[in-house]
Amino acid sequence: MNLTQIGFNTFFEQQLTTLNRENKLIGRIMLEHKHSYRVATEEGELLATVSGNFAHNAFARDHYPAVGDFVLVSKMPGEERAIIHQLFERKSKFTRKMAGSQIDEQIVATNVDIVFLTMSLNADFNVRRLERYLVAAWDSGATPVIVLTKADLCDDVVHYVSEVESVAFGVDFVVVSALDGSGLDAVNAYVCEGKTIALLG
């Protein structure tokens, strides 16, 4: 695995001039569990925690790493463990309100390039919900693509497509059916090396 495969591009490369990379690896957060993280690096996956200095200077929840973040880590000699020292600036960020809080937000994922907004073409279709998904996608900084699923269960695809077009001006959309595979090639066209894709729906 190389860094390009996991989405490390020019946006992040430019930040290296302001970060102290001495004896450190670039990694990407793949999994978060409380304050432990699974980090993908060019030397394999490592289990990591933040350094004491990092924690001392983290004044808010969003100062800590989240899934999708790029970080600089130092690997512990002879172990598959590491210490997180620095966090790269984020290109995009999905958040949600924390339970019981009107202010605090929890970061769900960062540095997403494309978000597939999935909506089934059956009784569960809801254009107002799709509008909320679109707002969340645009607010995050990612590019939305609408994926309309279960076309094989729909008697009037054109009707639903017209509803989508009425609220999603200029947004790409794909109609798919897992049953016969129609539309899947169009979805796969968005999936390529170095791109990070999330699903919402």
Side-chain angles (χ1 to χ4, degrees):
M1 182 200 70
N2 61 54
L3 294 173
T4 301
Q5 288 176 312
I6 58 172
F8 194 80
N9 56 32
T10 304
F11 177 85
F12 303 105
E13 289 173 1
Q14 292 172 343
Q15 298 178 45
L16 289 173
T17 58
T18 61
L19 298 174
N20 177 14
R21 196 185 171 186
E22 185 178 2
N23 298 320
K24 296 181 180 71
L25 297 170
I26 297 169
R28 191 169 195 189
I29 306 294
M30 310 304 283
L31 178 69
E32 175 188 1
H33 180 66
K34 295 184 179 179
H35 288 305
S36 293
Y37 305 89
R38 178 68 62 179
V39 183
T41 74
E42 289 187 308
E43 295 189 13
E45 289 194 3
L46 305 171
L47 184 63
T49 56
V50 298
S51 69
N53 185 57
F54 189 113
H56 179 74
N57 290 294
F59 301 112
R61 177 65 189 87
D62 66 354
H63 293 173
Y64 281 90
V67 172
D69 274 329
F70 282 97
V71 292
L72 286 179
V73 304
S74 58
K75 184 179 178 182
M76 296 180 181
E79 298 187 50
E80 299 303 310
R81 300 176 65 85
I83 302 295
I84 299 170
H85 296 279
Q86 292 174 290
L87 180 67
F88 284 76
E89 179 187 344
R90 293 162 175 147
K91 182 170 59 173
S92 65
K93 179 175 69 173
F94 276 95
T95 63
R96 66 182 174 198
K97 296 291 185 184
M98 294 184 68
S101 173
Q102 297 298 314
I103 302 173
D104 292 334
E105 292 183 320
Q106 177 185 10
I107 299 176
V108 178
T110 67
N111 300 319
V112 173
D113 298 302
I114 296 171
V115 56
F116 288 147
L117 309 179
T118 63
M119 183 78 68
S120 59
L121 293 171
N122 58 16
D124 193 48
F125 182 89
N126 186 312
V127 73
R128 299 284 82 85
R129 188 191 314 138
L130 179 59
E131 286 181 307
R132 293 195 296 271
Y133 290 167
L134 283 166
V135 169
W138 288 126
D139 285 350
S140 77
T143 299
V145 174
I146 299 167
V147 180
L148 301 172
T149 65
K150 300 184 180 179
D152 51 283
L153 298 180
C154 181
D155 294 327
D156 193 355
V157 173
V158 173
H159 168 73
Y160 287 112
V161 166
S162 66
E163 284 202 57
V164 169
E165 291 177 328
S166 72
V167 299
F169 311 105
V171 177
D172 289 350
F173 68 89
V174 181
V175 178
V176 303
S177 167
L179 186 66
D180 62 19
S182 60
L184 296 182
D185 286 344
V187 171
N188 288 335
Y190 292 96
V191 182
C192 58
E193 183 175 278
K195 289 291 184 183
T196 299
I197 296 174
L199 283 86
L200 181 62

